[in-house]
């Protein structure tokens, strides 16, 4: 991921609870950093390179591992959940805006609009061709769930919705995720995101889901937290982002 100051190499991992406290997480953590450094050495960038990671506020083991490894907290994020999909408001689209089904010929336009909309947000995104291909080829990717708004030929805004069936089965829930809620600058402050979120809740309900969730930056500059709360979402879990400089972290 990239933002205005750094190029971040984000680490992910987990250990089955039955196998914890045996040093496996520590070994994986070290190997992830080694792999990230090797990848970084293939990239040319003027930005400072950093390791990045996320941890939930209740993940004491992960937090201890990050602190011991020299990482520091840099940002807070929330998971928010709407516990039911009842009483979904019917909200009009702004004049001149229409929804269109997303066919493969539109994939790139949606991808580029989503990336552009988040350029003024913390953290950045991998904008590479490979990242786009992974996104659309993911087994969980289902463009028929997406609610994408067009103004003429321009993608104005959208909500990329996903149903993670294996996760739902493991947790015993029927939950859909609003994985990305975006509005490009020229179309902001017109109620467009609110209307698209309401339609997203409706399509998830129509696909058999009984709840919805999303993630949000606690310091989102556009007031997203208040928007989501007004549509029935409440904070369900808090996460923090952690970073460590790579270039001097041998």
């Amino acid at each position: 991921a990239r933002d205005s100051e750094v190029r971040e190499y984000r680490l992910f991992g987990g250990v089955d609870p039955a196998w914890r406290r045996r040093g496996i997480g520590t070994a994986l953590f070290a190997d992830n950093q080694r792999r990230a450094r090797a990848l970084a050495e293939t990239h040319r960038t003027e930005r400072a390179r950093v390791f990045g990671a996320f941890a939930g506020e209740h993940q004491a083991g992960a937090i201890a591992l990050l602190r011991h490894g020299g990482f520091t907290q840099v940002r807070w994020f929330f998971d928010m959940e709407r516990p039911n999909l009842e009483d979904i408001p019917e909200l009009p689209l702004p004049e001149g805006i229409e929804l269109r089904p997303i066919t493969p010929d539109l994939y790139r336009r949606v991808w580029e609009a989503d990336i552009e909309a988040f350029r003024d947000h913390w953290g950045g995104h991998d904008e590479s061709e490979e990242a786009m291909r992974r996104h659309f080829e993911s087994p969980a990717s289902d463009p028929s769930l997406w609610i994408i708004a067009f103004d003429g030929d321009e993608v104005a805004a959208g909500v990329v919705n996903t149903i993670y069936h294996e996760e739902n089965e493991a947790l015993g829930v029927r939950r859909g995720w609003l994985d990305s809620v975006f509005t490009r600058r020229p179309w902001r402050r017109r109620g467009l995101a609110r209307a698209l979120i309401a339609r997203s809740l409706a399509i998830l309900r129509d696909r058999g889901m009984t709840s919805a969730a999303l993630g949000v930056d606690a310091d989102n500059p556009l007031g997203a937290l208040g928007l989501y709360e007004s549509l029935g979402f409440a904070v369900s879990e808090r996460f923090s982002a952690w970073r460590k400089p790579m270039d001097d972290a041998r």
Side-chain angles (χ1 to χ4, degrees), residues 157 159 181-183 187 190-198 227 231:
V159 184
V181 180
F182 68 91
T183 306
W187 291 274
R190 297 168 56 183
L192 183 50
R194 181 182 298 274
L196 299 186
I197 292 169
L227 169 64
L231 287 165

Side-chain angles (χ1 to χ4, degrees), residues 113-235:
D114 194 349
I115 292 291
E116 177 192 307
F118 279 98
R119 284 219 174 96
D120 54 358
H121 289 239
W122 186 90
H125 294 270
D126 184 347
E127 301 180 20
S128 67
E129 188 79 19
E130 293 80 7
M132 185 182 76
R133 188 176 64 251
R134 288 195 302 269
H135 176 71
F136 286 105
E137 292 178 355
S138 166
S141 178
D142 183 358
S144 72
L145 287 170
W146 299 0
I147 306 295
I148 308 296
F150 285 78
D151 187 348
D153 289 331
E154 293 281 342
V155 176
V159 184
V160 176
N161 300 300
T162 311
I163 297 172
Y164 296 96
H165 295 285
E166 291 184 0
E167 176 184 274
N168 283 351
E169 183 176 352
L171 297 176
V173 299
R174 286 184 287 159
R175 180 175 61 195
W177 281 84
L178 287 67
D179 275 340
S180 181
V181 180
F182 68 91
T183 306
R184 294 172 65 198
R185 284 183 186 82
W187 291 274
R188 291 174 182 171
R189 308 299 183 188
R190 297 168 56 183
L192 183 50
R194 181 182 298 274
L196 299 186
I197 292 169
R199 284 163 173 76
S200 295
L201 297 175
I203 196 171
L204 292 173
R205 178 196 61 200
D206 294 345
R207 295 290 185 92
M209 300 298 102
T210 58
S211 65
L214 52 80
V216 62
D217 185 339
D219 294 319
N220 182 287
L222 301 177
L225 185 65
L227 169 64
Y228 300 142
E229 288 176 334
S230 74
L231 287 165
F233 287 86
V235 173

Side-chain angles (χ1 to χ4, degrees), residues 10-132:
R10 196 165 294 166
L11 312 178
F12 294 94
V15 179
D16 187 305
W19 293 88
R20 291 175 184 168
R21 309 298 182 188
R22 305 187 188 187
I24 296 173
T26 300
L28 290 174
F29 188 47
D31 189 60
N32 275 350
Q33 292 179 75
R34 180 188 63 77
R35 290 171 180 266
R37 190 186 301 282
L39 177 63
E41 289 175 354
T42 69
H43 296 154
R44 299 177 63 182
T45 179
E46 295 181 358
R47 292 181 171 92
R49 296 176 297 181
V50 300
F51 296 111
F54 280 84
E57 64 178 345
H58 300 302
Q59 294 178 302
I63 291 172
L65 194 63
L66 289 164
R67 283 183 173 148
H68 182 72
F71 285 67
T72 57
Q73 286 176 305
V74 293
R75 196 86 168 185
W76 283 93
F77 294 82
F78 300 143
D79 272 358
M80 304 185 74
E81 187 161 2
R82 195 180 201 269
N84 64 69
L85 297 180
E86 302 166 4
D87 301 319
I88 299 171
E90 294 185 14
L91 302 173
L93 293 171
E95 184 176 355
I97 300 295
E98 65 175 4
L99 304 182
R100 296 180 192 169
I102 301 306
T103 50
D105 59 299
L106 296 174
Y107 285 178
R108 178 173 292 279
R109 269 196 271 175
V110 173
W111 170 263
E112 291 177 349
D114 194 349
I115 292 291
E116 177 192 307
F118 279 98
R119 284 219 174 96
D120 54 358
H121 289 239
W122 186 90
H125 294 270
D126 184 347
E127 301 180 20
S128 67
E129 188 79 19
E130 293 80 7
M132 185 182 76

